Each structure stands twice: as C-alpha cells, then as structure tokens.
C-alpha cells in the first residue's frame, strides 16, 4: 500500500472542522487492548488509515492551537515536540499489521493528550476563519 492517509483533495481533514472524538477514542481503546488480534491484512490497513486520517486532523488542531501561544511558551514547545513525532510517524507507510495499527492508536492518544493540555485552564480558541467558512459551505452542500 503506497498511501499513508485517506484521499482528501478538498483538504477537509485538516480544515479545522469539528470532529467527533468519541468513536475514535473508542477505536484507540479497543486497538490498544488487543492481546492476540487475528484480523485480515486489509482490515489492519483500513483501521490504520482511519487512525492516520484522524491523527492528521487532531495534529492540525494541535498545530493551530499551539500557534496561538507565545514562542517561549512551554506548552507550545511540548506541542511542537509531539507534532514533530506525529509528522515522522504518520509519514511511514501503512503496513497491514497489528503493530502498525497499535502504533497509530498510540499516536492519536498522544495527540489528544497534547490537545487537552493546550486547551485546559483556558478558554477554547475559535477555529480559523477559513474553517468556519468551509463548515458553512459543507452544511449547505456546496464544497466548491
């Protein structure tokens, strides 16, 4: 498999649109609880692609929120470390194995932990203006 993420020509994954966190957290929890999984290679690949796409979306949110902090902020520095690791790990091609899927699940978990730390004890930052416009266009059924 040559792709490392889902097909997204409109850039919707990283557009700052709100995403439903609960199903992905449930998937991460299930994947990390595997003791001896026995799935077909294609099943592992599909799960890894789902986690990769969601990881890209969460990483984009972490990057946006970290960018709102001052350059000397400790929270920003830690976010940049996590983002660098995410970029490195998400650039590795998907392999149809439980190890690959569990690695992606750990990455999504780590990104959520960093996102939570960026937003705790502070008001939630608004999404960028282009994300609001894109969200409105999606709701109206016009993506162009």
């Amino acid at each position: 498999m040559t792709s490392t993420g889902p097909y997204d020509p409109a850039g919707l994954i990283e557009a700052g649109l709100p995403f439903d966190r609960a199903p992905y957290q449930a998937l991460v929890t299930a994947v990390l609880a595997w003791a001896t999984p026995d799935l077909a290679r294609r099943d592992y690949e599909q799960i890894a692609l789902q986690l990769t796409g969601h990881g890209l979306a969460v990483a984009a949110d972490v990057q946006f929120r970290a960018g709102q902090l001052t350059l000397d902020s400790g929270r920003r520095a830690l976010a940049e470390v996590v983002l660098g690791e995410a970029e490195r790990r998400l650039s590795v091609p998907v392999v149809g194995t439980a190890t690959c899927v569990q690695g992606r699940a750990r990455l999504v978990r780590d990104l959520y932990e960093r996102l939570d730390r960026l937003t705790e004890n502070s008001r939630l930052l608004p999404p960028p203006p282009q994300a609001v416009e894109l969200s409105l266009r999606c709701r109206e059924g016009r993506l162009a």
Side-chain angles (χ1 to χ4, degrees):
M1 178 165 268
T2 59
S3 177
T4 60
Y7 180 70
D8 183 31
L12 296 176
I13 289 175
E14 297 181 27
L17 297 174
F19 41 84
D20 192 2
R21 184 174 177 162
Y24 289 98
Q25 285 186 307
L27 178 61
V28 165
T29 301
V31 165
L32 293 178
W34 285 346
T36 54
D38 186 25
L39 300 175
R41 179 181 176 91
R42 289 181 165 225
D43 292 334
Y44 289 126
E45 289 171 350
Q46 287 301 309
I47 295 168
L49 286 174
Q50 286 291 320
L51 291 170
T52 299
H54 194 67
L56 290 169
V58 177
D61 199 10
V62 168
Q63 185 171 14
F64 170 73
R65 292 173 189 280
Q68 301 298 307
L69 301 172
T70 62
L71 291 175
D72 62 347
S73 168
R75 292 188 313 165
R76 181 177 182 150
L78 289 172
E80 289 174 355
V81 169
V82 171
L83 288 169
E85 181 67 12
E87 183 179 346
R88 184 186 68 74
R89 289 167 60 189
L90 290 173
S91 68
V92 175
V94 168
V95 180
T97 65
T99 302
C100 174
V101 173
Q102 288 179 322
R104 303 285 165 133
R106 281 193 228 36
L107 177 61
V108 170
R109 181 190 61 197
D110 295 346
L111 286 166
Y112 269 128
E113 287 174 3
R114 182 53 36 205
L115 181 62
D116 291 343
R117 288 196 174 91
L118 286 172
T119 58
E120 71 186 8
N121 298 326
S122 65
R123 68 177 185 79
L124 292 176
L125 299 170
Q130 67 272 20
V132 173
E133 172 62 27
L134 185 57
S135 177
L136 291 173
R137 288 196 327 237
C138 287
R139 287 183 192 146
E140 295 170 357
R142 41 183 194 98
L143 294 175

